[in-house]
Amino acid sequence: MTLKVYTALLFLFLVNSVWTRTVRQVYDELDPEHWSHFTSECPRECFCPPSFPNALYCDNKGLKEIPAIPARIWYLYLQNNLIETISEKPFANATHLRWINLNKNKITNNGIENGVLSKMKRLLYLFLEDNELEEVPAPLPVGLEQLRLARNKISRIPEGVFSNLENLTMLDLHQNSLLDSALQGDTFQGLNNLMQLNIAKNSLKKMPLSIPANTLQLFLDNNSIEVIPENYFSAIPKVTFLRLNYNKLSDDGIPPNGFNVSSILDLQLSHNQLTKIPPINAQLEHLHLDHNKIKSVNGTQICPVSIDVAEDYGLYGNTPRLRYLRLDGNEIQPPIPLDIMICFRLLQAVII
């Protein structure tokens, strides 16, 4: 399982790197005699690098409106301005846009002209972090792969807004104003290829409903979650990285085998109200339990296999795979119990 997940993530990284390098290589070979043409149609408020003619840099210019975007532009940088509206007019000729960064502006939902985003048929990445949005904008381009909406004022998610976004792999909604009522059973319907979902720093008291089945990374830090429902993770069998730091989880709020899930490799439960280590799976590699209320650690009790079996496995056998264990900020006194080391033969770091 570990190899498959890391292979998938590595593949995505390499594909993106090779594609970016290939595109840049083409730009670097551009004939200099064409530079004047690109410069002449460049908006005067912006910068058009001759070696990267498909990019337009209009960031940090104090702009209140989006300038007319040339047809050749794929990558548009408009972050750190005073833009309040997104209208159709500036994008009339920009039919090849792949990437728009509108972070740190003053955009509201009323300032987004109806249908302007969905008409950007080739858009893959849309960044609208640090704006004044109160709900997820709709409709959205069907080809989107990443949607970043962190640090807005979003409290509503329109029904069906994600239903056609089958290519979306990353959805970032952290640090908004989402309540449990905003996340219905069909909210994430249609996100069949989602890999990362970030809903940290909202106002959730319950685990969100109907997380897409292919989700690998689920971030729920800094909410007020108290309970993990029975068999919750059976609906997301590929979840690998799970963050629940800074919540209100107690021992009673976790089912007996709530986190005994073979797909989870990195489990973060820091800054909760646990008094004991919950049962874990032998495949788990990183466990963060710092700043809880744990007073002691019994390696025999928390070992995913019996201590006798773990001892017989030896260093190269089928031993539990825990490599990193963080327990500082609790009431545990050193030294580290010997049975911890006997069980988890691959441990590289234990912080108490």
Side-chain angles (χ1 to χ4, degrees):
M1 175 62 189
T2 305
L3 181 59
K4 290 182 179 179
V5 171
Y6 287 156
T7 301
L9 294 176
L10 179 61
F11 174 76
L12 289 174
F13 171 77
L14 290 175
V15 168
N16 185 63
S17 299
V18 170
W19 179 81
T20 303
R21 186 166 56 250
T22 303
V23 170
R24 287 186 176 274
Q25 187 176 19
V26 171
Y27 297 156
D28 290 341
E29 294 175 356
L30 184 69
D31 190 338
E33 71 181 29
H34 295 140
W35 291 359
S36 59
H37 167 69
F38 291 126
T39 302
S40 65
E41 65 173 2
C42 182
R44 60 182 179 81
E45 309 96 329
C46 307
F47 171 60
C48 298
S51 60
F52 199 13
N54 290 76
L56 181 61
Y57 292 87
C58 308
D59 51 309
N60 298 286
K61 303 294 185 182
L63 299 180
K64 294 184 178 181
E65 296 181 349
I66 299 174
I69 310 303
R72 71 173 190 276
I73 298 302
W74 286 22
Y75 307 97
L76 177 59
Y77 299 88
L78 287 160
Q79 66 270 27
N80 293 300
N81 282 295
L82 302 171
I83 297 169
E84 298 181 359
T85 61
I86 304 176
S87 60
E88 188 174 340
K89 184 177 179 180
F91 299 100
N93 296 319
T95 58
H96 296 281
L97 283 171
R98 264 67 164 178
W99 174 303
I100 298 179
N101 189 334
L102 276 160
N103 291 345
K104 295 186 178 180
N105 278 283
K106 297 182 179 297
I107 298 167
T108 64
N109 288 94
N110 289 336
I112 301 177
E113 186 175 337
N114 187 37
V116 62
L117 297 175
S118 61
K119 291 178 180 178
M120 301 177 185
K121 303 295 185 182
R122 301 187 182 186
L123 195 66
L124 302 178
Y125 301 87
L126 178 58
F127 300 170
L128 281 165
E129 298 178 344
D130 296 284
N131 278 280
E132 305 291 332
L133 299 174
E134 295 183 354
E135 64 179 50
V136 175
L140 291 162
V142 296
L144 272 187
E145 294 182 3
Q146 288 192 17
L147 177 60
R148 303 187 186 222
L149 299 169
R151 295 178 298 277
N152 277 274
K153 302 175 182 178
I154 296 172
S155 61
R156 298 185 300 276
I157 301 179
E159 184 177 356
V161 67
F162 302 128
S163 60
N164 294 319
L165 303 187
E166 293 188 359
N167 295 327
L168 199 72
T169 59
M170 177 185 179
L171 175 58
D172 191 343
L173 287 163
H174 88 268
Q175 200 166 335
N176 277 285
S177 303
L178 292 170
L179 300 170
D180 296 318
S181 58
L183 304 180
Q184 301 299 314
D186 59 354
T187 295
F188 301 112
Q189 185 175 344
L191 299 180
N192 299 327
N193 289 296
L194 195 70
M195 298 177 66
Q196 183 185 111
L197 177 60
N198 191 341
I199 326 179
K201 294 188 177 182
N202 278 278
S203 300
L204 304 181
K205 294 183 178 180
K206 300 177 181 179
M207 295 292 284
L209 300 171
S210 302
I211 300 297
N214 286 319
T215 302
L216 295 176
Q217 301 176 341
L218 179 58
F219 302 150
L220 292 164
D221 315 79
N222 294 88
N223 280 286
S224 299
I225 297 170
E226 299 179 357
V227 175
I228 306 295
E230 190 83 33
N231 300 318
Y232 181 83
F233 299 105
S234 62
I236 41 176
K238 298 181 181 180
V239 64
T240 305
F241 301 91
L242 177 62
R243 293 197 332 216
L244 279 159
N245 303 318
Y246 292 96
N247 275 282
K248 296 182 179 180
L249 290 171
S250 63
D251 302 328
D252 293 337
I254 301 175
N257 285 296
F259 294 120
N260 187 0
V261 180
S262 61
S263 66
I264 299 178
L265 304 182
D266 191 300
L267 176 59
Q268 300 189 20
L269 298 169
S270 304
H271 293 272
N272 278 279
Q273 300 171 11
L274 303 175
T275 64
K276 59 185 180 182
I277 298 177
I280 60 174
N281 193 272
Q283 299 300 314
L284 187 67
E285 297 184 2
H286 297 261
L287 178 59
H288 298 246
L289 285 164
D290 55 286
H291 298 90
N292 276 274
K293 299 179 179 180
I294 302 170
K295 294 183 178 180
S296 62
V297 181
N298 187 319
T300 302
Q301 292 180 354
I302 70 170
C303 191
V305 299
S306 73
I307 287 290
D308 293 337
V309 174
E311 192 169 8
D312 291 341
Y313 280 156
L315 184 60
Y316 300 104
N318 187 22
T319 185
R321 305 194 63 79
L322 194 67
R323 289 170 164 79
Y324 180 91
L325 176 60
R326 183 171 179 182
L327 292 165
D328 55 305
N330 285 283
E331 300 175 31
I332 303 169
Q333 299 297 321
I336 300 168
L338 180 60
D339 51 4
I340 291 285
M341 308 311 295
I342 292 175
C343 174
F344 301 108
R345 297 297 186 91
L346 300 180
L347 264 177
Q348 298 175 356
V350 181
I351 303 174
I352 295 183

